[in-house]
Amino acid sequence: MIKTRFAPSPTGYIHMGNMRTALFNAMIARHQQGIFLLRIEDTDEARSEEIYIGTLKEDLRWLGLDWQEGEECGGPHAPYRQSERHAVYDAYYNKLLEMNLAYPCFCSDEQLKLSRKMQRVAGQPPRYDGRCARLTPDEIAQKYAQGLKATLRFRIPRAENVVFEDLVQGEKVFATDDIGDFIIRRADGGASFMFCNAIDDSLMEVTHAFRGEDHLTNTPRQLMIAKALGLKPPQYGHFALINGTDGSPLSKRNGSQSIREMREKGFWPEAVVNYLARLGHYYPQNELMSIEDLGRFFEISQLGRSPARYDENQLMYWQKEAFKNKSADDIVAWMGDEVQSMVPADKKALFVEIVTPNTLFPHDAVIWAERAFNDDVMPLMNEECQAMLKTIPADFFDHALAAVKAHGLDYKAWIDYLKEHAQAKGKALFQPLRIALMATLHGPEMDKWVMLLGDKALITKRLNDAKQWVTQSC
């Protein structure tokens, strides 16, 4: 049975790029009716925080990405937090030391930086030069006796190739001589990502590990670790990263948001997963799909090799599409308590129907509720509205008031009346009414807005307020 995994480090709130990794792995498992595992890689204990683990699980569940093994739900390979697996890693460190496949390295950061600088000057790839690999047991004991701390390095086999079939990019070949002995245990005794990630994937029987191509150079190292220890590694696949709006890797600076931010802002989870699922994966279906259908139609062969480009317009498109499957009750609940407190119960359904086409987030709904149900909307005008009103003849609103008096809430009758009596047409006819009744030049259809206001006295007051504003501005 296929088993995929998501193994985040809880050092911050999860962003779009990492969540896409979780989504792709979850979709692959769903497509094959396999297992999706959640492991917490918290070996960086100084930066890992419990709040980030809690928020991560909330984010995954909000998007419908349930896991069948791992953190919280348990399984046959517990524990699933790396901070609780030190004894496991120590046993494998000792095994490598016994086989002379690992050795302590006492080089300081300054020595390593100088070595890399000299290699670059000589036109060589910067890698560890292996000076501590030649230390004798007596020399090692002496350095420990001096109180020096050491990292642990994996001893790379020389003059070999590491060859593997990348599930996304095809065959990959890495020369071991280009890699250099790498650190598998930090000087403070903590396990490196490279080591514990490889150990856990094997012990937890992960069959497929999909991740961004920024991890591609880690793969030959992890395959060598697994081979040296007689462990079975997963099959690896590396998909292209997401680029931001400026073409560079996606970051907070060029478009990325945390999933927590997106939840708080009011994105629909369906919008987020439909957008992320198409960032680097091709679906022939263009309609909004459920999480079940996204998994059912997810194909490894459709993962792209070229970077995906973050496109906010596409994200907003899926946000709009998500509205189409929502009931009025769903939307009212999504709009939040502030809107519910402002909108009368008997007008909630009409309010939702009218403002939804002009609403993307709950904050938008709050603004429309203020425009609909506050007595005084003139303070909500922007500079564009104010400039428009200054071009309107003062008697326009006298005719508008007469139209309301004669025809009540019949907006179309108002228009006919004003065309005849105010000699107005086009923008000069429609825009002053829109500004007076909703304090903006853009928004819902005016005849429906009048129905929502539904109060001749309120409409009369707003027209009088607009008239007074024009009179005072002249």
Side-chain angles (χ1 to χ4, degrees), residues 313-416:
N313 291 331
Q314 276 296 305
L315 178 58
M316 296 310 165
Y317 167 81
W318 292 112
Q319 178 76 348
K320 292 175 183 177
E321 287 295 297
F323 272 103
K324 295 179 180 179
N325 297 321
K326 301 296 179 181
S327 67
D329 288 341
D330 289 337
I331 295 175
V332 169
W334 168 85
M335 287 177 174
D337 294 340
E338 188 174 1
V339 169
Q340 294 188 54
S341 68
M342 285 191 285
V343 181
D346 62 339
K347 290 190 175 183
K348 282 182 179 176
L350 181 60
F351 178 77
V352 167
E353 176 191 345
I354 290 174
V355 307
T356 293
N358 295 278
T359 299
L360 282 174
F361 301 105
H363 175 68
D364 301 326
V366 171
I367 293 173
W368 287 121
E370 290 173 342
R371 296 183 189 281
F373 302 109
N374 280 356
D375 285 344
D376 186 6
V377 295
M378 286 292 101
L380 301 179
M381 289 192 302
N382 60 21
E383 292 181 359
E384 186 182 11
C385 291
Q386 294 175 18
M388 173 64 196
L389 279 190
K390 288 179 181 179
T391 67
I392 302 302
D395 64 350
F396 175 88
F397 289 107
D398 291 325
H399 295 300
L401 287 163
V404 173
K405 184 176 182 180
H407 300 287
L409 302 180
D410 188 341
Y411 176 74
K412 292 182 179 178
W414 298 359
I415 297 302
D416 291 338

Side-chain angles (χ1 to χ4, degrees), residues 8-13 15 18 40-53 83 186 188 193:
S9 299
T11 57
Y13 296 116
H15 280 247
N18 281 338
I40 305 300
E41 300 203 334
D42 56 346
T43 54
D44 187 350
E45 296 183 25
R47 296 176 60 218
S48 297
E49 295 187 30
E50 192 66 33
I51 186 174
Y52 298 134
I53 298 175
S83 59
R186 300 190 299 269
D188 63 3
F193 158 80

